[in-house]
Amino acid sequence: MNNRLINSLRLLLLCSTIYGCSGSGDNPVEYKDENAKSYKKNATLELTDSYLLPVDENTDSKIYGIDIFKDKNDNTKTISFLNPSSKSILLFDFDKKAIIKKVPLFQEGRNSMGAINLPSMHKVISKDSILFFNMDYLNVLNTNGDLLDRVQLVSENSIVDNSPKPNPSTNSPIIYKNGTAYLLCAYNVYYSPQNEIKDLLKVNLANKEIKPLFNRINLYNYGFWGHNMNLYYLYGAQNSKENSLVMGYAADPHLYTFSLNDEKVTPSQFIGSENFKSIDPFLSNKNDKTLNPSHDDMAKSAEYELTNPSYYSVFYDDINDVYVRLAYLPRTKSEYRDPLTRYKFKYSAIIMDNKFNKIGETVLPDATELDYRMIFFDNGYMYVFNKKKYNEDNNNLYFDRYKLKKDANI
């Protein structure tokens, strides 16, 4: 039997495991130590230095929705942040480390965006055009903050029916290609069956046509994964070399490659963390969920979701041609309940080659030091916001830089 046939049979088996189950029952993902922890270990992420951006007294560390825009005409690079405190999008010259402009986000009047509703996200698409998702709308702005166009993305019944509701953030960015935007979604936790929900929206900005894509995986039909939605989140990153979007759910060890050319989806093999074995649902029987949860129900769910492990954001490093996926590591209930240890949770970075073979894993500093909501990749480095350094000197935004190191002897 040749290798091509063997690989085809493996892919068929994987697809049947992921997509072929329905109804209630056991979790279809088979967690085994050899699956979760077996890989060729020859890569790690090492801290090298810090990247500083000077800020004024009107800018604080509450920055979200990080975006990098590279202008092909003049080779300049702009880093931008959504800053709710100043009600603006901050544009910086990446290399000169200087503010270019604060784009106002008007909350009243003809150009009104409404109050900034997190999660929100922006995407710079040209020198003078920005996409901004907020309050169920995808807005097109110029750099003066003027509203040029608007597309309503969310139906009034999106929470209770199977209509997609975008959940964009730094870790689920807006993907833009040739006049078309893609937004990841992660709501509708009470709808059944879960695999009828679409978790990707394709938006044609020219004719405002909206097309729902990508069915939620069958995993979420097996039990109920919590009222607070943490384990339902869908994270993604664009691979510009292959013109694809790579996505991963918080409770699922697999990744999914969505081709922006033909809209086909290809699942990866099992990609687990060496630091935990499984992620289990909050309720093993999905029919036991409460449609109108009490405060106590929400608290129990939150404790479950924030003590158990989960997968987090995924990034593509185009310089090293690798993927990096963060994983939120498990902790005990006593650690969660203690105010002194509640925020000492850690993340691990799972490193994969361009074929999704795991090649390394690095545990990073805990969340009392780094803010993993503010993270991006550029020019072969991973940048993570260091809030501890910012608190010591709030004249600068500090990003710790990590470099990929490959070593056959690791």
Side-chain angles (χ1 to χ4, degrees), residues 290-305:
T290 303
L291 296 181
N292 296 299
S294 65
H295 177 78
D296 187 56
D297 293 330
M298 295 295 289
K300 289 179 180 178
S301 178
E303 181 176 80
Y304 165 78
E305 294 171 64

Side-chain angles (χ1 to χ4, degrees), residues 79-116:
I79 182 170
S80 54
F81 309 94
L82 175 64
N83 186 215
S85 300
S86 64
K87 301 180 179 64
S88 63
I89 295 172
L90 309 175
L91 303 177
F92 289 85
D93 185 301
F94 190 97
D95 297 316
K96 294 180 179 178
K97 301 179 182 178
I99 185 78
I100 299 172
K101 197 168 189 178
K102 289 186 178 181
V103 180
L105 298 173
F106 300 106
Q107 297 189 16
E108 298 177 356
R110 182 174 61 86
N111 292 315
S112 171
M113 308 293 155
I116 297 175

Side-chain angles (χ1 to χ4, degrees), residues 208-363:
K208 299 185 180 181
E209 180 184 3
I210 301 173
K211 183 179 179 181
L213 302 164
F214 186 62
N215 285 62
R216 183 169 295 178
I217 58 174
N218 263 323
L219 172 69
Y220 291 104
N221 282 325
Y222 291 76
F224 177 65
W225 298 77
H227 296 284
N228 300 283
M229 301 185 293
N230 290 343
L231 292 175
Y232 288 83
Y233 283 166
L234 179 62
Y235 305 103
Q238 184 173 4
N239 182 331
S240 56
K241 289 184 177 179
E242 297 184 1
N243 199 28
S244 62
L245 168 60
V246 175
M247 301 175 288
Y249 288 95
D252 184 24
H254 302 90
L255 291 173
Y256 303 86
T257 301
F258 176 87
S259 171
L260 298 176
N261 295 321
D262 58 18
E263 300 182 353
K264 291 183 179 179
V265 177
T266 305
S268 75
Q269 68 267 32
F270 189 108
I271 306 169
S273 169
E274 64 185 37
N275 296 292
F276 57 87
K277 183 178 179 180
S278 66
I279 305 171
D280 301 312
F282 175 54
L283 300 172
S284 58
N285 186 343
K286 66 179 181 179
N287 296 319
D288 290 339
K289 65 180 180 292
T290 303
L291 296 181
N292 296 299
S294 65
H295 177 78
D296 187 56
D297 293 330
M298 295 295 289
K300 289 179 180 178
S301 178
E303 181 176 80
Y304 165 78
E305 294 171 64
L306 295 175
T307 54
N308 278 268
S310 63
Y311 295 101
Y312 194 48
S313 47
V314 56
F315 301 92
Y316 176 64
D317 177 354
D318 60 345
I319 299 299
N320 295 298
D321 198 20
V322 299
Y323 295 97
V324 175
R325 189 186 199 188
L326 299 187
Y328 172 83
L329 299 186
R331 52 196 177 134
T332 65
K333 290 184 178 180
S334 60
E335 289 173 331
Y336 171 76
R337 293 170 182 173
D338 186 344
L340 297 177
T341 58
R342 173 166 292 182
Y343 299 103
K344 288 186 176 292
F345 50 87
K346 289 181 178 290
Y347 287 88
S348 183
I350 301 168
I351 308 165
M352 297 154 277
D353 65 18
N354 60 7
K355 302 298 182 184
F356 300 102
N357 299 302
K358 184 175 174 183
I359 58 174
E361 186 166 2
T362 302
V363 176

Side-chain angles (χ1 to χ4, degrees), residues 5-209:
L5 179 57
I6 293 173
N7 290 335
S8 297
L9 290 173
R10 285 175 177 169
L11 181 60
L12 179 62
L13 178 61
L14 173 62
C15 293
S16 64
T17 301
I18 296 171
Y19 296 113
C21 305
S22 60
S24 60
D26 295 332
N27 183 340
V29 177
E30 186 176 6
Y31 288 94
K32 294 182 178 180
D33 284 341
E34 58 266 31
N35 286 342
K37 301 178 181 180
S38 175
Y39 62 97
K40 183 178 180 181
K41 188 174 182 179
N42 66 355
T44 187
L45 287 167
E46 292 188 351
L47 179 64
T48 58
D49 54 10
S50 292
Y51 172 79
L52 278 66
L53 275 177
V55 292
D56 60 28
E57 65 276 6
N58 296 318
T59 302
D60 58 25
S61 64
K62 294 179 181 178
I63 52 176
Y64 305 100
I66 302 172
D67 179 61
I68 303 288
F69 172 69
K70 300 176 182 178
D71 193 303
K72 296 180 180 179
N73 296 320
D74 58 13
N75 294 319
T76 58
K77 184 162 51 178
T78 301
I79 182 170
S80 54
F81 309 94
L82 175 64
N83 186 215
S85 300
S86 64
K87 301 180 179 64
S88 63
I89 295 172
L90 309 175
L91 303 177
F92 289 85
D93 185 301
F94 190 97
D95 297 316
K96 294 180 179 178
K97 301 179 182 178
I99 185 78
I100 299 172
K101 197 168 189 178
K102 289 186 178 181
V103 180
L105 298 173
F106 300 106
Q107 297 189 16
E108 298 177 356
R110 182 174 61 86
N111 292 315
S112 171
M113 308 293 155
I116 297 175
N117 178 40
L118 298 177
S120 295
M121 182 61 188
H122 72 283
K123 179 72 177 177
V124 179
I125 59 176
S126 73
K127 282 284 191 179
D128 55 7
S129 299
I130 302 173
L131 298 180
F132 172 51
F133 173 82
N134 189 49
M135 299 292 287
D136 303 338
Y137 291 89
L138 183 62
N139 305 287
V140 184
L141 315 175
N142 63 21
T143 53
N144 292 322
D146 298 320
L147 181 63
L148 305 179
D149 206 352
R150 170 178 282 172
V151 183
Q152 182 173 353
L153 301 184
V154 181
S155 72
E156 294 180 357
N157 298 317
S158 64
I159 297 299
V160 294
D161 65 16
N162 64 345
S163 301
K165 180 175 175 61
N167 186 47
S169 67
T170 301
N171 305 302
S172 301
I174 298 172
I175 304 300
Y176 177 79
K177 187 75 174 180
N178 298 332
T180 300
Y182 297 84
L183 291 90
L184 284 70
C185 310
Y187 284 90
N188 313 70
V189 301
Y190 301 115
Y191 187 84
S192 184
Q194 283 281 296
N195 62 332
E196 289 186 359
I197 296 171
K198 301 287 188 180
D199 274 337
L200 186 64
L201 275 183
K202 177 182 179 182
V203 184
N204 185 315
L205 296 174
N207 59 21
K208 299 185 180 181
E209 180 184 3

